[in-house]
């Protein structure tokens, strides 16, 4: 059986791991949110730019202006595609960090369960010993009472 101090040390180390994993998960979630926010801004900027392009097209554009608008929209599409990949990678990091945190938490909970079981076994053993001592005391007391009669 693992000593109580050893188990407490394991629980303490596991708790530290859980906290570190939680911090890492928090960082991953924040990075993911920032990546999604950048993607949203790019999508909104593209939409606004397309609206402006369509409005200017109605009033007439030179071939050069038309080409510039079209090229810039293509560049925005490339940036959006790249940002979508970044968002996907951020989500994968979040998923990985979450799995690490869950594993650390499971490990910590397992140690705590083992410690509680050991405490229950110890209490049962102590109660059994106390009962044995009480039975022996009562038995001796009864023998002494018989001898005095």
């Amino acid at each position: 059986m693992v000593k109580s101090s050893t188990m407490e040390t394991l629980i303490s180390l596991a708790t530290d791991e859980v906290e570190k994993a939680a911090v890492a998960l928090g960082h991953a979630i924040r990075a993911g949110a920032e990546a999604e926010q950048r993607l949203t801004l790019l999508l909104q900027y593209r939409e606004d730019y397309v609206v402006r392009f369509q409005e200017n097209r109605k009033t007439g554009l030179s071939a050069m202006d038309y080409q510039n608008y079209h090229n810039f929209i293509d560049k925005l599409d490339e940036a959006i595609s790249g940002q979508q990949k970044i968002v996907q990678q951020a989500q994968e990091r979040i998923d990985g960090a979450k799995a690490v945190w869950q594993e650390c938490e499971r490990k910590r909970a397992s140690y705590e369960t083992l410690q509680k079981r050991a405490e229950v076994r110890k209490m049962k053993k102590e109660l059994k010993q106390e009962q044995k001592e009480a039975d022996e005391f009562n038995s001796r007391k009864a023998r002494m009472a018989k001898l005095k009669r």
Side-chain angles (χ1 to χ4, degrees):
M1 185 166 90
V2 179
K3 289 184 178 179
S4 179
S5 63
T6 304
M7 188 58 71
E8 288 171 5
T9 301
L10 288 173
I11 291 171
S12 176
L13 291 172
T15 300
D16 290 346
E17 287 178 6
V18 168
E19 290 171 2
K20 288 176 186 173
V23 168
L25 176 57
H27 289 307
I29 289 171
R30 274 190 296 285
E34 289 171 4
E36 286 181 14
Q37 187 177 26
R38 281 189 220 104
L39 176 60
T40 300
L41 288 173
L42 281 171
L43 290 169
Q44 183 62 46
Y45 185 67
R46 184 191 187 284
E47 185 179 317
D48 293 345
Y49 197 79
V50 167
V51 167
R52 194 170 21 172
F53 169 64
Q54 290 171 348
E55 288 172 359
N56 288 335
R57 238 177 61 190
K58 290 177 186 174
T59 60
L61 285 172
S62 69
M64 176 75 90
D65 289 339
Y66 183 86
Q67 187 63 38
N68 287 339
Y69 269 106
H70 197 41
N71 287 341
F72 191 70
I73 290 172
D74 287 345
K75 296 282 184 195
L76 283 174
D77 287 341
E78 288 175 24
I80 288 169
S81 177
Q83 191 63 33
Q84 286 170 331
K85 288 176 186 173
I86 291 170
V87 168
Q88 181 182 1
Q89 291 167 349
Q91 186 59 51
E92 290 169 1
R93 282 191 292 277
I94 290 169
D95 293 343
K98 187 176 185 179
V100 168
W101 173 78
Q102 287 172 331
E103 179 60 25
C104 290
E105 181 60 27
R106 184 202 58 74
K107 183 177 167 182
R108 185 200 57 76
S110 295
Y111 288 149
E112 285 183 349
T113 300
L114 289 173
Q115 182 182 37
K116 287 175 186 171
R117 286 180 187 165
E119 288 171 0
V120 168
R121 279 193 301 270
K122 183 180 177 186
M123 273 204 281
K124 284 181 180 179
K125 186 177 179 181
E126 288 173 358
L127 286 173
K128 190 174 180 180
Q129 182 63 32
E130 287 175 12
Q131 183 64 46
K132 182 179 174 184
E133 290 171 3
D135 289 347
E136 288 175 2
F137 176 77
N138 288 332
S139 177
R140 273 188 255 132
K141 188 176 176 182
R143 276 183 280 177
M144 293 300 270
K146 277 187 181 180
L147 290 176
K148 287 185 180 178
R149 289 189 209 159

